[in-house]
PDB file of all heavy atoms in Angstrom:
ATOM      1  N   ALA B 242      -0.339   1.147-108.717  1.00  0.00           N
ATOM      2  CA  ALA B 242       0.650   2.234-108.738  1.00  0.00           C
ATOM      3  C   ALA B 242       1.433   2.250-110.048  1.00  0.00           C
ATOM      4  O   ALA B 242       1.605   3.302-110.671  1.00  0.00           O
ATOM      5  CB  ALA B 242       1.599   2.099-107.543  1.00  0.00           C
ATOM      6  N   LEU B 243       1.882   1.090-110.484  1.00  0.00           N
ATOM      7  CA  LEU B 243       2.685   1.029-111.718  1.00  0.00           C
ATOM      8  C   LEU B 243       1.853   1.362-112.959  1.00  0.00           C
ATOM      9  O   LEU B 243       2.394   1.811-113.971  1.00  0.00           O
ATOM     10  CB  LEU B 243       3.312  -0.358-111.868  1.00  0.00           C
ATOM     11  CG  LEU B 243       4.479  -0.639-110.907  1.00  0.00           C
ATOM     12  CD1 LEU B 243       4.797  -2.130-110.893  1.00  0.00           C
ATOM     13  CD2 LEU B 243       5.710   0.171-111.278  1.00  0.00           C
ATOM     14  N   SER B 244       0.561   1.155-112.866  1.00  0.00           N
ATOM     15  CA  SER B 244      -0.311   1.486-113.992  1.00  0.00           C
ATOM     16  C   SER B 244      -0.206   2.955-114.366  1.00  0.00           C
ATOM     17  O   SER B 244      -0.444   3.342-115.503  1.00  0.00           O
ATOM     18  CB  SER B 244      -1.767   1.165-113.655  1.00  0.00           C
ATOM     19  OG  SER B 244      -1.931  -0.209-113.511  1.00  0.00           O
ATOM     20  N   SER B 245       0.149   3.789-113.394  1.00  0.00           N
ATOM     21  CA  SER B 245       0.213   5.224-113.649  1.00  0.00           C
ATOM     22  C   SER B 245       1.309   5.579-114.650  1.00  0.00           C
ATOM     23  O   SER B 245       1.299   6.665-115.220  1.00  0.00           O
ATOM     24  CB  SER B 245       0.434   5.979-112.333  1.00  0.00           C
ATOM     25  OG  SER B 245       1.727   5.712-111.832  1.00  0.00           O
ATOM     26  N   LEU B 246       2.250   4.685-114.890  1.00  0.00           N
ATOM     27  CA  LEU B 246       3.358   4.983-115.802  1.00  0.00           C
ATOM     28  C   LEU B 246       2.852   5.409-117.177  1.00  0.00           C
ATOM     29  O   LEU B 246       3.412   6.300-117.808  1.00  0.00           O
ATOM     30  CB  LEU B 246       4.270   3.767-115.947  1.00  0.00           C
ATOM     31  CG  LEU B 246       5.179   3.479-114.748  1.00  0.00           C
ATOM     32  CD1 LEU B 246       5.864   2.132-114.931  1.00  0.00           C
ATOM     33  CD2 LEU B 246       6.204   4.583-114.570  1.00  0.00           C
ATOM     34  N   ASN B 247       1.816   4.722-117.670  1.00  0.00           N
ATOM     35  CA  ASN B 247       1.247   5.137-118.959  1.00  0.00           C
ATOM     36  C   ASN B 247      -0.270   5.303-118.857  1.00  0.00           C
ATOM     37  O   ASN B 247      -0.984   5.124-119.822  1.00  0.00           O
ATOM     38  CB  ASN B 247       1.624   4.161-120.083  1.00  0.00           C
ATOM     39  CG  ASN B 247       1.043   2.775-119.876  1.00  0.00           C
ATOM     40  OD1 ASN B 247       0.692   2.406-118.759  1.00  0.00           O
ATOM     41  ND2 ASN B 247       0.912   2.011-120.948  1.00  0.00           N
ATOM     42  N   VAL B 248      -0.734   5.695-117.665  1.00  0.00           N
ATOM     43  CA  VAL B 248      -2.168   5.884-117.424  1.00  0.00           C
ATOM     44  C   VAL B 248      -2.955   4.651-117.882  1.00  0.00           C
ATOM     45  O   VAL B 248      -3.967   4.727-118.549  1.00  0.00           O
ATOM     46  CB  VAL B 248      -2.707   7.167-118.095  1.00  0.00           C
ATOM     47  CG1 VAL B 248      -4.072   7.550-117.521  1.00  0.00           C
ATOM     48  CG2 VAL B 248      -1.759   8.332-117.916  1.00  0.00           C
ATOM     49  N   LYS B 249      -2.407   3.502-117.477  1.00  0.00           N
ATOM     50  CA  LYS B 249      -3.077   2.234-117.778  1.00  0.00           C
ATOM     51  C   LYS B 249      -4.382   2.158-116.985  1.00  0.00           C
ATOM     52  O   LYS B 249      -4.432   2.597-115.838  1.00  0.00           O
ATOM     53  CB  LYS B 249      -2.142   1.106-117.330  1.00  0.00           C
ATOM     54  CG  LYS B 249      -2.237  -0.156-118.113  1.00  0.00           C
ATOM     55  CD  LYS B 249      -1.167  -1.140-117.659  1.00  0.00           C
ATOM     56  CE  LYS B 249       0.102  -1.045-118.477  1.00  0.00           C
ATOM     57  NZ  LYS B 249       1.224  -0.448-117.790  1.00  0.00           N
ATOM     58  N   ARG B 250      -5.399   1.594-117.590  1.00  0.00           N
ATOM     59  CA  ARG B 250      -6.628   1.344-116.846  1.00  0.00           C
ATOM     60  C   ARG B 250      -6.388   0.102-115.991  1.00  0.00           C
ATOM     61  O   ARG B 250      -5.984  -0.937-116.533  1.00  0.00           O
ATOM     62  CB  ARG B 250      -7.787   1.087-117.795  1.00  0.00           C
ATOM     63  CG  ARG B 250      -8.238   2.314-118.591  1.00  0.00           C
ATOM     64  CD  ARG B 250      -7.427   2.519-119.873  1.00  0.00           C
ATOM     65  NE  ARG B 250      -7.971   3.611-120.680  1.00  0.00           N
ATOM     66  CZ  ARG B 250      -7.396   4.816-120.821  1.00  0.00           C
ATOM     67  NH1 ARG B 250      -6.253   5.114-120.230  1.00  0.00           N
ATOM     68  NH2 ARG B 250      -7.970   5.733-121.567  1.00  0.00           N
ATOM     69  N   SER B 251      -6.616   0.179-114.689  1.00  0.00           N
ATOM     70  CA  SER B 251      -6.390  -1.016-113.875  1.00  0.00           C
ATOM     71  C   SER B 251      -7.670  -1.413-113.148  1.00  0.00           C
ATOM     72  O   SER B 251      -8.414  -0.553-112.676  1.00  0.00           O
ATOM     73  CB  SER B 251      -5.239  -0.788-112.882  1.00  0.00           C
ATOM     74  OG  SER B 251      -5.617   0.120-111.890  1.00  0.00           O
ATOM     75  N   PHE B 252      -7.925  -2.696-113.115  1.00  0.00           N
ATOM     76  CA  PHE B 252      -9.151  -3.199-112.505  1.00  0.00           C
ATOM     77  C   PHE B 252      -8.845  -4.356-111.572  1.00  0.00           C
ATOM     78  O   PHE B 252      -8.021  -5.207-111.874  1.00  0.00           O
ATOM     79  CB  PHE B 252     -10.139  -3.675-113.592  1.00  0.00           C
ATOM     80  CG  PHE B 252     -10.549  -2.571-114.518  1.00  0.00           C
ATOM     81  CD1 PHE B 252      -9.862  -2.362-115.708  1.00  0.00           C
ATOM     82  CD2 PHE B 252     -11.575  -1.710-114.183  1.00  0.00           C
ATOM     83  CE1 PHE B 252     -10.219  -1.320-116.549  1.00  0.00           C
ATOM     84  CE2 PHE B 252     -11.933  -0.669-115.023  1.00  0.00           C
ATOM     85  CZ  PHE B 252     -11.254  -0.470-116.211  1.00  0.00           C
ATOM     86  N   MET B 253      -9.509  -4.340-110.437  1.00  0.00           N
ATOM     87  CA  MET B 253      -9.366  -5.421-109.470  1.00  0.00           C
ATOM     88  C   MET B 253     -10.659  -6.244-109.540  1.00  0.00           C
ATOM     89  O   MET B 253     -11.713  -5.783-109.127  1.00  0.00           O
ATOM     90  CB  MET B 253      -9.182  -4.848-108.058  1.00  0.00           C
ATOM     91  CG  MET B 253      -8.003  -3.883-107.942  1.00  0.00           C
ATOM     92  SD  MET B 253      -6.419  -4.662-108.328  1.00  0.00           S
ATOM     93  CE  MET B 253      -5.503  -3.291-109.047  1.00  0.00           C
TER      94      MET B 253
END
Side-chain angles (χ1 to χ4, degrees):
Chain B
L243 287 166
S244 294
S245 68
L246 286 171
N247 64 339
V248 196
K249 210 174 267 108
R250 291 86 174 107
S251 70
F252 299 93
M253 304 299 148

